[in-house]
Every structure is written in C-alpha cells, then in structure tokens.
Amino acid sequence: FGRWLARSGYYLPMMEKELGEAGLPLDLVYLAMIESGFNQRAYSRSRAVGLWQFMKGTGRQYNLTIDKYVDERRNALKSTRAAVTYLRDLYNEFGDWYLAVAAYNGGPGTMRKAIRRAKSKDFWVIAQKKSLRLETKRYVPKLIAAILIAKEPEKHGFTDVVYDKPLVYDEISVGPGLSLEAAAILSGSSSKTIKELNLELKTGKTPLNHEQYVLKIPSGTKQLAENNLPRLHSVASTDYKTHIIRKNETLSQI
C-alpha cells in the first residue's frame, strides 16, 4: 500500500482533473488504486489491462484503440477518460455510487440481476445475498478503506511515503514507424523515458497504420524535438512505406 501511495502522486492530479471536469466524485481516483495499484503495466489473470483494468471489449466500447500496434488501456490519460465515462454511465443507470462501483467490478449485467433477486437497490442488502461474487462484495469496502487510508496515511502508519512527481509531458506529432530510440534522440532523453511515457506502444515504435501519431516526450523538450525531426523524417517513414506496399499487395491478392 505504501508503494501504491507513492505511485499515486504521479497520476492523481491528472485523474482528479478528469473526474472534476466530468462532475464525478474525486475519491473515485482510488478505484485505480485497488484495480492496479496505480500501475499502467498491470495485467490480470482475466486479461484486464492498465490503470483501470479494462477488458478488451469494454475498452473498445469506450473508444480505446487496441490493435497490434497500440493498446490504449495502457495510456494513462485516455484510459482515465474512458473510465470516467464508464463510471458516469454506471452511475446514471444505477443511481448510487456503491452500486456503480460494484458494477464496475462485477459487470452491469450481474448487478442488474443482483438487484432483481434482492429486490433492493441498497448495496449492503444485496451483499448479504448470494447474487454477487465475494470479490465484488468486498470491492466497495476495499475502495472505502483505500480512500480513508490514502487521505490520512500517517494515521494508519504510513509516515515515510515519498510521493512520485506528477505526470507531465510535451507532445509532438510524428510519422509512422518512428522508434522509441529515435524519439529519445529527437528529445535529448533516453529510450527508457520515452517508453515510460508511451506504454501503449506495443512494438517499440509509432504505429504503421497511422500517418501521424501524437508521441509523448519529456516536458520542456518539444522545441528541441521539432528542430531535430526533419533529420529523422526520411528514415522513420521507410517502414511505413513498406507497410503500405505490403498492405496493397495483400488487398490485390484478395
């Protein structure tokens, strides 16, 4: 939990901004804590991915791109916006945050059935029945506990937490097939840093199926990257041209 608290400093400002602009309770940021421990790389046994642990179908339903080049479930901002929209939809349906949060874990269909069987829309009444899995019954109390501890960590024994600095970055539009190593050279940073900022990229380069891709680079390096970009443009576009040729050849064969 101490590690999760430390990581929270990286994501909370961005998440609270998105929740606030949508008019949702800011405490919902801690749903990402119990889902992933604020870990963008998180991958569950059920194949849920990212900070908010989206399944592939739900992620696509909420406009996250998931293909062989990109998995936006690992994009901190885009997955947060998707989670905010999903949580808002769940609240609009169930009219209660405990039920909405439980539905986030167990699925809205399961929650509808549980409400019908219990003949109640009180989460605590429903939790006494057998309609929900134990994991979902415990999900709401876990969130409440996470909120209480995170808001007063010292009171609960976490007295030496060093919070990560907030996530900040610049963005630059680049062509397809640009490697993370090349992006590091562009911005005068390291490939490790570029990878950390662009965890949604699955192949170590910008997608070949996009003519332009908005790449995240370290804050304060945009001008340098834009100045360096023309030097790498011809190299970066080579893979894209090959991709288009192969795609056209495949289409002609079909």
Side-chain angles (χ1 to χ4, degrees):
F1 200 93
R3 288 195 298 272
W4 298 352
L5 285 173
R7 286 188 205 136
S8 72
Y10 192 63
Y11 297 107
L12 254 58
M14 176 270 291
M15 290 179 172
E16 288 178 340
K17 178 176 180 291
E18 295 300 320
L19 287 164
E21 289 179 354
L24 303 189
L26 301 188
D27 286 348
L28 289 172
V29 294
Y30 297 106
L31 191 147
M33 174 180 273
I34 63 172
E35 282 287 347
S36 68
F38 291 115
N39 180 5
Q40 276 180 261
R41 293 186 178 88
Y43 185 93
S44 76
R45 287 176 295 178
S46 60
R47 300 182 181 179
V49 170
L51 289 168
W52 299 93
Q53 289 291 279
F54 273 106
M55 297 294 288
K56 188 177 289 186
T58 308
R60 286 174 171 159
Q61 181 183 346
Y62 283 88
N63 300 317
L64 295 178
T65 298
I66 305 167
D67 59 27
K68 66 179 181 179
Y69 299 113
V70 172
D71 189 341
E72 290 184 340
R73 292 176 293 178
R74 287 197 169 102
N75 181 300
L77 178 59
K78 290 184 178 181
S79 67
T80 295
R81 287 175 174 169
V84 167
T85 304
Y86 187 28
L87 285 164
R88 184 180 60 198
D89 289 349
L90 291 172
Y91 180 75
N92 287 341
E93 176 175 354
F94 296 107
D96 176 89
W97 278 116
Y98 290 160
L99 295 179
V101 165
Y104 189 97
N105 174 260
T110 297
M111 185 53 60
R112 293 181 201 113
K113 292 177 183 177
I115 290 170
R116 287 198 300 270
R117 291 174 181 174
K119 298 179 181 179
S120 173
K121 295 195 73 173
D122 184 324
F123 171 79
W124 306 107
V125 172
I126 296 169
Q128 300 300 315
K129 310 297 181 180
K130 297 181 180 180
S131 301
L132 298 176
R133 293 177 301 153
L134 185 59
E135 176 189 333
T136 303
K137 292 180 181 182
R138 290 177 172 175
Y139 195 75
V140 172
K142 279 175 69 176
L143 177 60
I144 293 171
I147 293 169
L148 292 174
I149 297 171
K151 285 190 169 183
E152 295 184 288
E154 296 85 1
K155 180 178 178 180
H156 298 278
F158 297 97
T159 57
D160 57 351
V161 178
V162 180
Y163 291 89
D164 292 348
K165 293 180 180 179
L167 171 62
V168 292
Y169 51 83
D170 287 341
E171 293 181 330
I172 184 171
S173 181
V174 299
L178 181 73
S179 71
L180 299 185
E181 289 79 8
I185 294 171
L186 280 176
S187 58
S189 58
S190 68
S191 56
K192 179 181 178 181
T193 298
I194 299 297
K195 182 177 181 179
E196 288 291 328
L197 289 172
N198 298 276
L199 287 173
E200 70 275 13
L201 296 179
K202 297 166 69 174
T203 64
K205 60 182 67 174
T206 53
L208 295 178
N209 57 352
H210 288 70
E211 290 190 25
Q212 292 292 312
Y213 188 81
V214 177
L215 192 73
K216 295 180 285 295
I217 57 177
S219 180
T221 67
K222 184 173 182 176
Q223 189 62 56
L224 174 64
E226 288 181 339
N227 291 342
N228 287 333
L229 190 58
R231 304 175 191 174
L232 288 175
H233 178 72
S234 60
V235 176
S237 63
T238 300
D239 283 348
Y240 176 65
K241 291 174 181 175
T242 303
H243 168 75
I244 293 299
I245 291 169
R246 289 176 178 171
K247 182 179 178 182
N248 289 338
E249 286 176 350
T250 301
L251 288 174
S252 66
Q253 291 170 6
I254 294 173

